[in-house]
Structures are given as C-alpha cells and as structure tokens.
Amino acid sequence: MKVYIQWTYKTKKKKSFTFTSDLVSLEEAVHFAEDVESTKRATDLVFTDEKGATWSMKELKKLITKIEEEPHEIIVYFDGGFDRQTRIAGIGCSIYYKKDGETYRIRKNAQLEGLDNNNEAEYAALELAVQELVVLNVRNQRVTLKGDSQVVLQQLSGEWACYEESFQRYINRIERYAKKQHLDFEYEVLSRKENREAHQLATQALEGTTIESHSPLQE
C-alpha cells in the first residue's frame, strides 16, 4: 500500500504553501512526515491512498500496526505446463508475504486433466494462487503477480484482448476473487529462469509429485 502526503508549510513571513508528495510506502510516509513536523512549520498533514481514502498521522500509524498483523507485501509466482501427448497439466504457485515481522512462503501444485493447452494451464495456476490468497484471507492489499506467461498477465491486466471463451472464464473468476477480497493486482512478466520456482512446482505436478507447504522463511 502506498500513499500521497499533503501538507501546508508556513514560512517565517507567515506565507503558506501546500505540497503533495509522490506515492510512497506507509513507512516512508511516516518518517517523512515526522521529519517535516519537526520543523514546526508544517501543518495540516494528510495521507491519501490511490482510491482517495485519507488518514491523519495518528490514524496512519494505527493502520500500519494493523497491517503488520495481517498478510502484506504479497508476491505471487505462478506457472503451468501441459503435456500434449497425455493431455495432463501441471500447475504450481509460490506465494511470499510478511506478517508480524516475519516472511512466509506458501508452495503448492496440482495435476489437472481436461485442459486444452499450455495457456489454459497458466491460467489454472494463477487461479490456484488466488484461491490460496482467499484461504489466507488476504484483504485490502496490493498483490504483485509474477509469471512467464505474457498472454495471461497482459490479458488479465486488460492490455491485450481476450477472445478465447475458456480464458475469459478464468479472468472472470479471478476478478471476482479480487473484488470480494478488495485486492489490487500489479503484473510483472518474468523470464523462465526468473520464474524457476513456480516452474519446478508445475513440473513436479506433471511428474506426479504433490507439493503443499506453508512456513516462515529462515533468515
């Protein structure tokens, strides 16, 4: 989550100027605001998110405390593979998030039948990841989706048109999950090398090895 900071600055000659910052993280916003307040010339500090919700300094600090107790800074990696001969798909996802000062990782995969191609397997992998976010009860968060499928990420973001009815059904379901949980998605296309963890999970699923884990990461 990021916010704009707006404040009024008064000069020694009692002139007032209003400033608005770029989008910054909540922690950066508080540190900057405390620094500005220390000048004794800044007043009317207001923090505004991209949707227009506003907070005072006191309210923002409470929000940060609340967020720390819930899953946040969430990154999702996903990948899907499809064997044309057997018509079996392997899908996998890994999810990283922070909570109470610790970093956690979820790893999950599955083997599926009844899919038609690799792109559909990629969509199924992303839907699996989003379902895990619902189970985790991630709400009111910005989630970064990372994968090596440009088709899925560009269609889901609306950059590319989607003409395949089966793909559109995945998009509709994923968007319903996002709306229900009040999630905002960011999209990042990776190379296969950068997406190797999710790729390995999908490959293991194709080979019949099931992976399901949820644990804190050791520093």
Side-chain angles (χ1 to χ4, degrees):
M1 180 178 177
K2 294 186 176 182
V3 294
Y4 298 99
I5 313 166
Q6 187 177 72
W7 71 99
T8 300
Y9 185 83
K10 293 183 179 180
T11 69
K12 291 181 178 180
K13 295 182 179 181
K14 306 302 182 183
K15 288 186 178 181
S16 297
F17 300 89
T18 300
F19 298 92
T20 302
S21 75
D22 295 330
L23 273 174
V24 295
S25 69
L26 300 186
E27 291 76 12
E28 290 174 322
V30 169
H31 291 157
F32 178 81
E34 288 176 337
D35 187 60
V36 169
E37 281 189 329
S38 69
T39 66
K40 307 297 184 183
R41 293 181 187 167
T43 61
D44 304 325
L45 272 161
V46 177
F47 305 89
T48 307
D49 69 12
E50 294 170 281
K51 294 182 178 180
T54 60
W55 296 269
S56 66
M57 174 77 92
K58 183 178 180 180
E59 291 168 336
L60 191 70
K61 287 182 177 180
K62 286 184 178 180
L63 177 64
I64 291 173
T65 299
K66 181 180 179 181
I67 288 175
E68 283 295 322
E69 297 171 350
E70 299 175 350
H72 60 283
E73 294 187 31
I74 301 154
I75 301 176
V76 169
Y77 297 85
F78 69 96
D79 196 26
F82 181 75
D83 188 316
R84 293 183 179 181
Q85 291 185 332
T86 63
R87 302 195 66 78
I88 292 175
I91 62 175
C93 66
S94 57
I95 301 170
Y96 292 80
Y97 69 93
K98 292 184 178 180
K99 181 180 178 181
D100 294 327
E102 289 195 77
T103 300
Y104 293 82
R105 179 179 65 176
I106 296 172
R107 299 170 70 237
K108 189 169 184 177
N109 68 2
Q111 187 179 100
L112 302 177
E113 297 180 359
L115 305 189
D116 292 326
N117 51 56
N118 194 76
N119 283 334
E120 190 173 4
E122 295 276 7
Y123 268 112
L126 180 54
E127 184 176 25
L128 175 70
V130 174
Q131 289 171 338
E132 286 299 303
L133 297 181
V134 175
V135 172
L136 195 59
N137 198 29
V138 176
R139 299 181 61 85
N140 305 304
Q141 294 290 332
R142 172 166 290 186
V143 177
T144 302
L145 306 179
K146 297 187 178 186
D148 54 52
S149 173
Q150 195 169 25
V151 170
V152 170
L153 293 175
Q154 296 285 29
Q155 288 183 341
L156 190 62
S157 68
E159 292 295 321
W160 291 3
C162 178
Y163 301 106
E164 297 85 352
E165 185 177 341
S166 60
F167 296 175
Q168 189 60 54
R169 286 197 291 268
Y170 281 104
I171 292 173
N172 292 342
R173 289 196 297 269
I174 290 168
E175 289 179 343
R176 282 199 296 270
Y177 290 132
K179 183 177 181 180
K180 178 182 177 181
Q181 301 297 114
H182 304 284
L183 305 178
D184 289 326
F185 291 143
E186 291 183 340
Y187 310 92
E188 184 175 341
V189 179
L190 304 176
S191 66
R192 174 58 58 84
K193 183 178 179 180
E194 292 172 312
N195 200 35
R196 57 183 176 273
E197 183 177 28
H199 177 68
Q200 181 179 7
L201 287 166
T203 301
Q204 288 173 310
L206 270 174
E207 296 170 348
T209 301
T210 300
I211 306 293
E212 185 169 357
S213 66
H214 186 178
S215 59
L217 292 180
Q218 300 299 321
E219 296 294 337

